[in-house]
Amino acid sequence: MQSIIVAQRVIAQVVKDKRTIGMMLVAPLFVLFLMYTIFGASSDDVTIGIVNLPEEVTQLLKEEATVITFPTNNDAKKAMIEQKIDASISFENETAHILVEGGNVSKNASAIQKIQRTLTVLTLEKSHVQIQSLNELVVQLQEQLRLITGQTPEKVAIPKTLSQKSSISFLYGDSELDLFDQLAPALMGFFIFFFVFLISGVSFLKERSSGTLERTLATPLKRSSIVLGYFIGFFLFVIIQTILIQLFIVNILGVTQNGNYGILLLVNLLTASVALALGLLLSSFSRSEFQLIQFIPLVIIPQIFFSGMFDLSDAPTWVEFINRIVPLTYAAEALQNVMTRGHTFIDIWPNLLVLIGFVIGFFLLNMKVLKKQRPV
Amino acid sequence: MIVSVQNYHQSFGKRSILTNLNFQIQKGEIVGLIGPSGSGKTTLIKTLIGLQRPTQGEVHVLGHQQPTLKVSKEIGYMAQSDALYEDLSARGNLAYFGKLYGLRKDILKNRVNFVLAFVDLLKDADRPVRYFSGGMKRRLSLAISLVHQPPFLLLDEPTVGIDPTLKQLFWKEFESLRENGVTLLITTHIMDEAERCDRLLLIQNGQLVVSGTPDMLKQKFGSIENAFLKKEEV
């Protein structure tokens, strides 16, 4: 009951503070939209310079990339220095010489891939032609044999050319999934975590630095009611924020979402709860807003690495250990499994349990820290 | 008896703040707690409210040993700095603390209006506190300490930073509260305020050096200011 009084006051305060509302509701959407646009802006189009290339190769390469013809290797190199082409290819003695620019990893990889694909097609076509001429030769030989011996020889089975086609299908999603689709669940978790942490931390800190926390502790209010009250008060805004972010990512940006909408919301709200409890706790260890901000590179940024955006399969044991003790690992794993793989409650409940554990743990720690301010 | 302090020591880590304090406060007194800055006045106040546990000795307030939540309701507290919610109105601040002290809805409204009138803030009651002047904030802080009608008031430098007119008003209010049987402990280092107290406790270097009426101190040292200065030389 007492915590409701605190919660009501927190709500009244936030409503009157337009900046905080903006920070909570508009800022995450803005950042996400920016990110969505930027991820969509990169292309794998490459320009390849060619020198002295057989016509058939040029034709094949044109299907893959933009092609510019240069009279000599030096001209091609000059164009590469001016960053007009990403790679160049020339033929000498039946060998392809490829020069790659080397400054842009993704474009270079794309250029190499495209050239190699062209050369593979070329080889296959050549062998196809060779096999066909061999086959014709066999038919001619059989005809001559018949003429010489007067007997019809047994037909020799002529091997068919290898099929070049392969079919790829996906267990989850389809080939239309792009980078943002893959990162979106982790990003969603991270942004919810980050913004909730920031706002709850700063607000509770304000209470400390303005003296109102001490003043409140001079009333009969229980310590647990203070923390719980703050939690409840902010949770209301967190619900709105989380729904907005989820709506934005899933419905407006159209990120692939194969899971249950309600379960996704549940995971997001638990993620936000962990951030809320952590923000309240860490503000207890800061004397100013600046000191709280100092926690961000220490506590928040490293969690990006564990949010599922990076593959940690080959990481050393101690990294795996950190990975297992930070909350965002569990949140991101659940989010990715729900959104991309369509997992349901039965699959992800252990993750949810861990998140609840974090909330309770931070909450109890916070009460213990508050004991320094009032022993009873 | 309102306050009873026996063999009270307070230290933080190795640093000793208050040593061997012994004194009592009776019902209906205005007791002035005087002493230079850093002498430990605020530390004593915090222990009396129950914000910290005495390192040694016993501190009883209204019959309960501190720290305990049992007497929080009986104490009105005004901190040295205005601890107010700047985004809320004066009424919002008062209502919040009133509710925390457990005032029922019907009583709360009357009490809020009563204390607002008492500190002359009725016409600014619904403005956000961040637009308030320093003096208005002090008045609101006093009103908050009174909202639940506590029999014992702890006021930590209530008149710092306010003009002489407002100071006069504050002291008239303190005296009228005393008429109603309220006990007040007020910290100050302003001599003319000290003279208006019924009794003075002079703290220096963490020790209670003199306790007596303003007249007693005057007889002994010539003036209260002398008491303050002489003792500091020792």
Side-chain angles (χ1 to χ4, degrees):
Chain A
M1 191 54 220
Q2 280 183 320
S3 52
I4 299 298
I5 301 170
V6 179
Q8 280 173 337
R9 195 215 73 227
V10 171
I11 293 166
Q13 257 181 308
V14 174
V15 167
K16 279 172 187 152
D17 184 2
K18 302 282 178 290
R19 258 180 93 104
T20 303
I21 296 244
M23 177 86 166
M24 265 204 280
L25 305 182
V26 182
L29 300 189
F30 171 70
V31 175
L32 279 169
F33 179 69
L34 203 62
M35 219 154 211
Y36 170 74
T37 316
I38 287 167
F39 278 129
S42 81
S43 78
D44 53 359
D45 291 347
V46 289
T47 311
I48 295 170
I50 53 169
V51 181
N52 191 25
L53 224 57
E55 182 54 29
E56 36 170 2
V57 186
T58 311
Q59 285 307 323
L60 278 172
L61 203 57
K62 272 185 179 164
E63 286 168 20
E64 295 276 347
T66 314
V67 171
I68 302 175
T69 316
F70 293 97
T72 67
N73 275 330
N74 270 345
D75 293 319
K77 203 169 175 182
K78 226 170 113 188
M80 195 178 290
I81 290 167
E82 287 163 8
Q83 298 194 3
K84 281 180 183 150
I85 56 173
D86 302 295
S88 73
I89 177 168
S90 61
F91 263 76
E92 264 170 60
N93 309 325
E94 291 289 299
T95 312
H97 295 277
I98 301 159
L99 183 68
V100 179
E101 197 260 335
N104 183 328
V105 178
S106 68
K107 289 238 175 195
N108 294 159
S110 175
I112 293 173
Q113 195 196 9
K114 281 172 178 176
I115 292 172
Q116 274 174 345
R117 202 185 300 158
T118 307
L119 294 177
T120 312
V121 171
L122 194 69
T123 318
L124 278 168
E125 271 185 14
K126 272 190 177 164
S127 59
H128 189 74
V129 171
Q130 274 175 347
I131 288 169
Q132 234 160 21
S133 57
L134 279 173
N135 285 346
E136 276 164 26
L137 206 65
V138 169
V139 173
Q140 278 175 20
L141 284 171
Q142 281 178 335
E143 180 61 23
Q144 277 180 6
L145 200 65
R146 193 179 66 83
L147 287 174
I148 294 165
T149 59
Q151 285 180 342
T152 310
E154 248 181 88
K155 280 244 175 188
V156 178
I158 296 164
K160 279 191 177 168
T161 50
L162 271 172
S163 164
Q164 301 172 23
K165 283 174 191 158
S166 58
S167 113
I168 301 170
S169 51
F170 289 80
L171 182 56
Y172 306 109
D174 51 49
S175 61
E176 289 298 302
L177 273 179
D178 63 12
L179 187 62
F180 191 73
D181 282 296
Q182 202 207 323
L183 294 184
L187 282 175
M188 179 161 67
F190 177 73
F191 280 117
I192 288 174
F193 196 90
F194 180 65
F195 282 100
V196 170
F197 169 84
L198 209 60
I199 283 154
S200 65
V202 169
S203 301
F204 202 56
L205 186 68
K206 209 164 126 194
E207 188 98 16
R208 195 172 288 272
S209 55
S210 70
T212 45
L213 179 66
E214 188 193 280
R215 183 63 192 81
T216 303
L217 286 169
T219 72
L221 188 67
K222 288 196 195 80
R223 276 178 289 131
S224 56
S225 301
I226 297 179
V227 184
L228 196 63
Y230 252 83
F231 194 89
I232 297 171
F234 269 107
F235 200 69
L236 186 88
F237 296 99
V238 166
I239 292 176
I240 300 171
Q241 185 197 41
T242 308
I243 292 177
L244 265 179
I245 292 183
Q246 192 175 324
L247 272 175
F248 188 71
I249 287 199
V250 176
N251 299 63
I252 296 179
L253 299 188
V255 167
T256 310
Q257 212 285 96
N258 299 318
N260 181 296
Y261 212 88
I263 289 172
L264 189 61
L265 192 63
L266 180 70
V267 181
N268 276 332
L269 285 178
L270 273 175
T271 309
S273 304
V274 178
L276 188 51
L278 184 67
L280 297 183
L281 175 65
L282 288 188
S283 71
S284 307
F285 295 103
S286 326
R287 272 191 303 277
S288 63
E289 271 91 345
F290 182 59
Q291 288 195 339
L292 184 75
I293 301 300
Q294 286 169 345
F295 275 118
I296 291 175
L298 219 66
V299 179
I300 306 299
I301 302 290
Q303 296 209 46
I304 297 179
F305 305 127
F306 303 115
S307 62
M309 279 190 247
F310 303 96
D311 180 26
L312 296 178
S313 311
D314 254 353
T317 321
W318 63 270
V319 171
E320 179 59 23
F321 176 73
I322 298 176
N323 188 23
R324 284 293 129 198
I325 58 167
V326 299
L328 211 54
T329 303
Y330 299 92
E333 205 175 80
L335 287 171
Q336 237 158 13
N337 282 342
V338 171
M339 279 183 81
T340 318
R341 307 198 171 93
H343 282 187
T344 57
F345 187 77
I346 299 152
D347 305 301
I348 59 160
W349 69 264
N351 286 48
L352 301 186
L353 213 61
V354 173
L355 291 178
I356 292 170
F358 273 115
V359 175
I360 295 171
F362 290 150
F363 196 92
L364 293 178
L365 267 176
N366 206 340
M367 298 215 349
K368 208 173 164 111
V369 172
L370 268 185
K371 236 181 169 168
K372 263 200 304 198
Q373 301 263 315
R374 189 179 69 188
V376 287
Chain B
M1 203 192 306
I2 303 295
V3 173
S4 158
V5 173
Q6 286 170 334
N7 304 321
Y8 164 52
H9 292 257
Q10 188 76 54
S11 50
F12 297 115
K14 281 183 182 162
R15 228 158 58 91
S16 178
I17 307 292
L18 294 167
T19 42
N20 200 25
L21 256 53
N22 287 285
F23 68 89
Q24 291 176 346
I25 295 174
Q26 306 299 330
K27 187 175 189 295
E29 294 189 279
I30 297 183
V31 176
L33 186 58
I34 58 173
S37 302
S39 55
K41 300 190 296 283
T42 299
T43 305
L44 176 59
I45 296 271
K46 281 192 179 171
T47 304
L48 286 171
I49 317 167
L51 287 181
Q52 64 207 10
R53 195 180 292 280
T55 314
Q56 254 183 59
E58 285 184 9
V59 172
H60 287 266
V61 175
L62 294 149
H64 291 280
Q65 188 173 341
Q66 284 286 37
T68 170
L69 289 184
K70 283 182 196 144
V71 284
S72 304
K73 248 184 208 176
E74 318 290 323
I75 304 173
Y77 172 49
M78 182 171 166
Q80 220 174 79
S81 59
D82 295 304
L84 302 167
Y85 295 103
E86 302 256 314
D87 296 323
L88 302 183
S89 64
R91 203 185 287 280
N93 273 280
L94 279 166
Y96 173 61
F97 284 106
K99 277 187 227 164
L100 288 186
Y101 282 112
L103 294 186
R104 281 193 9 239
K105 226 177 180 180
D106 43 337
I107 300 169
L108 181 70
K109 209 179 160 202
N110 287 334
R111 279 304 297 170
V112 168
N113 282 326
F114 179 82
V115 292
L116 277 171
F118 192 71
V119 298
D120 196 20
L121 278 177
L122 259 183
K123 65 178 197 302
D124 296 298
D126 296 307
R127 283 174 66 201
V129 170
R130 72 176 154 238
Y131 300 120
F132 278 23
S133 69
M136 287 163 84
K137 285 182 185 170
R138 279 326 263 163
R139 278 186 277 163
L140 179 57
S141 294
L142 180 64
I144 289 172
S145 71
L146 296 172
V147 72
H148 55 298
Q149 281 183 289
F152 180 38
L153 276 177
L154 282 163
L155 310 176
D156 200 355
E157 303 199 357
T159 57
V160 159
I162 62 174
D163 63 61
T165 327
L166 190 55
K167 200 155 80 183
Q168 288 301 321
L169 180 88
F170 266 39
W171 274 92
K172 276 206 187 98
E173 279 158 4
F174 297 158
E175 277 153 11
S176 86
L177 285 165
R178 178 178 56 186
E179 304 300 302
N180 292 318
V182 175
T183 309
L184 296 95
L185 179 66
I186 300 170
T187 71
T188 180
H189 36 220
I190 304 167
M191 291 310 129
D192 62 322
E193 283 191 9
E195 280 189 50
R196 295 180 79 155
C197 296
D198 298 318
R199 202 151 59 85
L200 293 171
L201 302 170
L202 175 59
I203 290 188
Q204 272 168 3
N205 298 321
Q207 286 180 318
L208 179 63
V209 287
V210 184
S211 160
T213 62
D215 284 339
M216 258 173 63
L217 264 72
K218 270 192 235 170
Q219 268 179 12
K220 211 168 163 185
F221 299 98
S223 72
I224 297 170
E225 202 159 5
N226 274 349
F228 201 101
L229 293 170
K230 257 188 191 157
K231 278 293 171 182
E232 209 164 8
E233 286 161 13
V234 174

